[in-house]
Amino acid sequence: MARIFYDEDADLSVIKDKTIAVVGYGNQGRSQALNMRDSGLKVIIGSVNDDSWKKAEEDGFQVYPIDQAAEQADIIFLLIPDEIMVSVFEQDIAKSLKQGDVLNFASGYNIAFDLMKVPDFVDLTMVAPRMIGAGVRDCYVSGEGFPSFVGVEQDASGKAWDIALALCKAIGSTKRGSIELTFRQEAEMDLLTEQGFGPILHALIKDTFEFEVEMGYPPEAVLLELYMSGELSYVFAQAAKIGLLKQSFLHSHTSQYGHLIKAHEVDHGGIKSFLGTALDDIKSGKFTEQWQAEQANGSPVFKELTEKAHDSSIIQAEAKLRKQLGYDD
Ligand code: NDP
C-alpha cells in the first residue's frame, strides 16, 4: 500500500528561510508560485522575456532570467514543458547548482528515463499535482486542497523527504493527501494513461460514433449522446466525488440494469493486451527513444498524425454541430 501524507506530516519550517525559484510561469508555475507565497515562503520567478514574465510581474513577483533565478535559489521548481526542460537545465541551471540545492519536478519523466544528467550533490524531489494548473490555485484558495504524487529520487542532504513534504504542504496538497511514488512509477503511469487509456477511450468514442451513424442515427444526436452535451464529464466528475459505482445510482434503473448485464461481455482481455503492449514499450524505453528521435528530426510523424486526426468524420461533424449550437460564439 502506498504511504499517504497529510498536513500534520509536513513541517513548513524546514524551508521557511530558503529562496524558491519557480522556473516557468505557465499552467503549474503560476498556481504553485502563488500558493507557496501565500504559505509564507520566499518565491522568485525564472522566465524568458515573454508573456509569462509580464504576468508574473503583474502578480507582484520578482522575475529574473532563468540563470539568475537559479543562482539565487536554494530550491528550483522546474515547471517548463518536459521537452525543453533538459536543454534549459543544461544551459541556464546546471552551472549554478551548489551542495544542498534542491531540484523539484512536477513530472518524473526526464529523470526516470535518464534524459537529464544531474550532479549527485543536489536533492531531487517530485511534487506532481493530480490537478490542472488552474485547479491547483482554486483548490488552495478554497481550502479544500488537491491530491498529488510525492517522491524523492536523490537524497544528498539527508533532508529531502522533509523538504518534499514541506513543498507539498506549501502548494496545498497535503491538505487533501500526497501519495508516495517513485519518479519512474509516476512517469510510467502518466505515459500509460496517455498511450493506453487515452487511445482506447478515444477509439471507443470514435468507433461508437461511426457505428451509430452507419446504423442510421443522425450524427448530431450521436455526438450529443456520447459527449457533446457535457453529460459524460458530469458522470466523470461524480465518479471522482462519490465513486465509480455510486455515480451509477444517479442514473435510471433501466440504465443501471443495462450497464450491469452487458458489462461482463466486454473483451477485457483485448483491453489488457493493448495496455500490456503500451506498457512494454514505455518500460523498455522504446517510446522515449522513438519520441526523442522524432523531436530531433523536426517531428514529421507528429505533424502528419495531427493532420490526419483532423480528417475524420467525427471531427468534421463536431465542427458543424459546434457552430449550429453556438459553442464557438
Ligand atoms: P506550460 O506549457 O504551461 O509552460 C510552462 C512555462 O514554460 C510557461 O511559462 C512557458 O512560457 C515556459 N516556456 C515555454 N517554452 C520555454 C522555453 N523554451 N524556455 C523557457 N521557458 C519556456 O507547462 P505546464 O505548467 O503545463 O507543465 C510544467 C510541468 O508540470 C511539466 O513537467 C508537466 O509535465 C508538469 N505537470 C503539468 C500538469 C498540468 O496540468 N499542466 C499537471 C501535472 C504536472 P510561455 O508560454 O510564456 O512561452
Side-chain angles (χ1 to χ4, degrees):
M1 295 297 278
R3 283 195 295 172
I4 305 182
F5 301 97
Y6 301 97
D7 274 354
E8 57 273 23
D9 301 311
D11 178 5
L12 278 182
S13 70
V14 296
I15 51 172
K16 74 173 179 3
D17 298 325
K18 307 279 184 196
T19 297
I20 301 173
V22 171
V23 173
Y25 201 72
N27 294 315
Q28 288 292 330
R30 177 169 190 261
S31 294
Q32 294 194 29
L34 290 169
N35 293 2
M36 287 193 285
R37 185 173 66 184
D38 288 351
S39 293
L41 301 178
K42 184 179 176 208
V43 181
I44 59 172
I45 306 300
S47 182
V48 281
N49 203 350
D50 61 2
D51 288 349
S52 298
W53 181 300
K54 280 187 217 125
K55 184 83 199 140
E57 276 185 341
E58 279 164 25
D59 287 339
F61 285 106
Q62 293 286 341
V63 190
Y64 301 91
I66 294 171
D67 58 342
Q68 290 179 26
E71 246 169 54
Q72 297 175 58
D74 306 298
I75 300 173
I76 301 170
F77 273 55
L78 290 164
L79 294 177
I80 50 181
D82 295 316
E83 315 85 78
I84 56 137
M85 194 182 285
V86 179
S87 60
V88 170
F89 173 76
E90 285 169 355
Q91 276 167 34
D92 294 325
I93 297 174
K95 58 182 179 261
S96 60
L97 291 175
K98 53 194 185 303
Q99 188 88 36
D101 278 355
V102 180
L103 285 175
N104 183 65
F105 298 79
S107 147
Y109 184 78
N110 285 317
I111 295 294
F113 289 101
D114 225 7
L115 301 174
M116 190 186 279
K117 302 282 173 238
V118 289
D120 57 11
F121 56 80
V122 296
D123 289 348
L124 297 181
T125 59
M126 175 181 69
V127 176
R130 288 304 89 189
M131 181 60 71
I132 59 166
V136 165
R137 181 61 182 160
D138 290 348
C139 293
Y140 179 90
V141 172
S142 70
E144 63 195 291
F146 54 89
S148 70
F149 297 142
V150 58
V152 170
E153 182 78 9
Q154 190 166 284
D155 187 2
S157 67
K159 296 183 195 130
W161 266 107
D162 291 342
I163 294 169
L165 293 178
L167 294 174
C168 284
K169 186 171 188 172
I171 65 166
S173 172
T174 42
K175 184 145 260 175
R176 178 64 72 187
S178 297
I179 300 176
E180 180 181 10
L181 215 58
T182 66
F183 277 49
R184 183 82 189 191
Q185 286 173 321
E186 191 278 337
E188 287 178 359
M189 281 174 52
D190 197 37
L191 292 175
L192 186 61
T193 303
E194 292 159 3
Q195 296 169 36
F197 179 76
I200 290 173
L201 186 64
H202 198 98
L204 182 65
I205 291 174
K206 190 167 169 281
D207 289 353
T208 308
F209 172 81
E210 287 170 7
F211 173 75
E212 290 192 24
V213 171
E214 271 163 37
M215 293 297 112
Y217 300 102
E220 297 82 358
V222 178
L223 284 169
L224 284 175
E225 182 71 26
L226 286 177
Y227 66 96
M228 276 188 71
S229 67
E231 190 184 353
L232 191 61
S233 44
Y234 184 77
V235 166
F236 276 116
Q238 289 303 313
K241 211 167 165 185
I242 61 174
L244 196 56
L245 183 62
K246 268 201 186 150
Q247 72 73 29
S248 73
F249 304 150
L250 302 173
H251 305 262
S252 69
H253 284 159
T254 310
S255 159
Q256 290 177 42
Y257 173 75
H259 176 108
L260 292 171
I261 199 84
K262 279 292 180 192
H264 69 278
E265 290 177 21
V266 170
D267 178 8
H268 295 292
I271 294 174
K272 284 183 182 161
S273 149
F274 181 85
L275 292 171
T277 309
L279 187 59
D280 284 347
D281 288 351
I282 291 166
K283 277 174 171 276
S284 68
K286 186 173 164 191
F287 167 75
T288 306
E289 240 171 65
Q290 194 184 338
W291 178 218
Q292 289 295 106
E294 171 70 3
Q295 291 173 86
N297 209 14
S299 300
V301 176
F302 186 25
K303 284 175 196 151
E304 191 191 323
L305 291 174
T306 307
E307 250 166 56
K308 252 196 197 151
H310 281 98
D311 187 25
S312 68
S313 57
I314 187 168
I315 297 304
Q316 283 155 14
E318 187 195 73
K320 205 168 141 211
L321 185 59
R322 289 183 64 79
K323 269 202 191 104
Q324 287 169 313
L325 296 182
Y327 283 5
D328 289 336
D329 297 345

